[in-house]
Amino acid sequence: MSYSVGQVAGFAGVTVRTLHHYDDIGLLAPSERSHAGHRRYSDADLDRLQQILFYRELGFPLDEVAALLDDPDADPRAHLRRRHELLTARIEKLQNMAAAVEHAMEARKMGINLTPEEKFEVFGDKDPEQYAEEAEQRWGGTEAYAESQRRAARYTKDDWKRMQAEVASWGERYDALMAAGEPPTGERAMDLAEEHRQHITRWFYACTYEMHQGLAGMYVSDERFKAFHDSMRPGLAEHLKEAVAANAARRTT
């Protein structure tokens, strides 16, 4: 039984042009021709094509494929060992490239989606990613951290500006509260503590009362966070910590 060039191309998943080329260079000459001169391939030809495609899939150039199939002194095992070494090196290189691409994709997905100019416009001289590595080390395995990063990656410059405006407004009102001498256990202080918790929930992740108290404790224990909050008003970090605790107590009891 014999097959036309079109049939063989369909069987093997190659183009008719490829088969014509293999014939022209003597790599795969069809065993028969029809009365009209058309190529006809036998089962033995298909077996040879299968071998050709196997070596091509491994990356062998056509001249090496011809040598392997036609040279009785050729050592297929030696060729395969050499090709295996080359392929192994290529695979390692591709894996490293894939890892680099995945890292870049993850960084893009998880990072703040702003250009350097927009970051400066929104945050001024405060780097929003200054503590990113430490935050990942502390909370990287938590769902709250993952959710926070997913949301941050979607925010536009206008979103960050609205967020900053909310923080500024809250800071002004908390400053006024402290200036008036109101205690952290008072209603106004607890209400602003609750607003602070809801701000986190709205913009970053679902902040429970327990998580909120943990954050407030860090605002006091970590000098950098303490400095940020006390820049709004000296003593604000400690005042807020007590207000957060009082708000949690009234909401959960």
Side-chain angles (χ1 to χ4, degrees), residues 84-102:
H84 179 267
E85 292 172 0
L86 294 173
L87 284 172
T88 300
R90 184 182 178 194
I91 288 169
E92 182 178 359
K93 182 178 180 180
L94 290 173
Q95 286 176 334
N96 291 337
M97 291 174 62
V101 171
E102 288 174 5

Side-chain angles (χ1 to χ4, degrees), residues 39-129:
R39 295 172 176 86
R40 302 294 298 182
Y41 293 82
S42 67
D43 288 331
D45 295 334
L46 295 184
D47 290 340
R48 182 179 174 91
L49 177 58
Q50 185 181 49
Q51 290 180 290
I52 292 170
L53 296 179
F54 167 74
Y55 285 120
R56 290 296 287 157
E57 184 67 23
L58 293 178
F60 282 71
L62 291 176
D63 57 345
E64 287 192 28
V65 175
L68 284 168
L69 297 182
D70 298 328
D71 185 352
D73 295 326
D75 183 354
R77 289 175 298 179
H79 281 272
L80 286 171
R81 279 195 298 271
R82 182 167 68 85
R83 185 56 55 181
H84 179 267
E85 292 172 0
L86 294 173
L87 284 172
T88 300
R90 184 182 178 194
I91 288 169
E92 182 178 359
K93 182 178 180 180
L94 290 173
Q95 286 176 334
N96 291 337
M97 291 174 62
V101 171
E102 288 174 5
H103 180 75
M105 290 170 62
E106 190 68 12
R108 178 66 177 175
K109 181 181 73 174
M110 302 298 271
I112 293 175
N113 189 23
L114 296 178
T115 65
E117 294 77 13
E118 288 173 331
K119 287 181 183 179
F120 185 81
E121 181 180 348
V122 173
F123 297 102
D125 59 357
K126 296 182 178 65
D127 183 359
E129 297 169 341

Side-chain angles (χ1 to χ4, degrees), residues 211-227:
M211 294 168 71
H212 198 208
Q213 291 182 85
L215 285 173
M218 186 182 65
Y219 295 162
V220 173
S221 62
D222 190 305
E223 289 300 322
R224 294 163 301 178
F225 286 103
K226 187 174 188 297

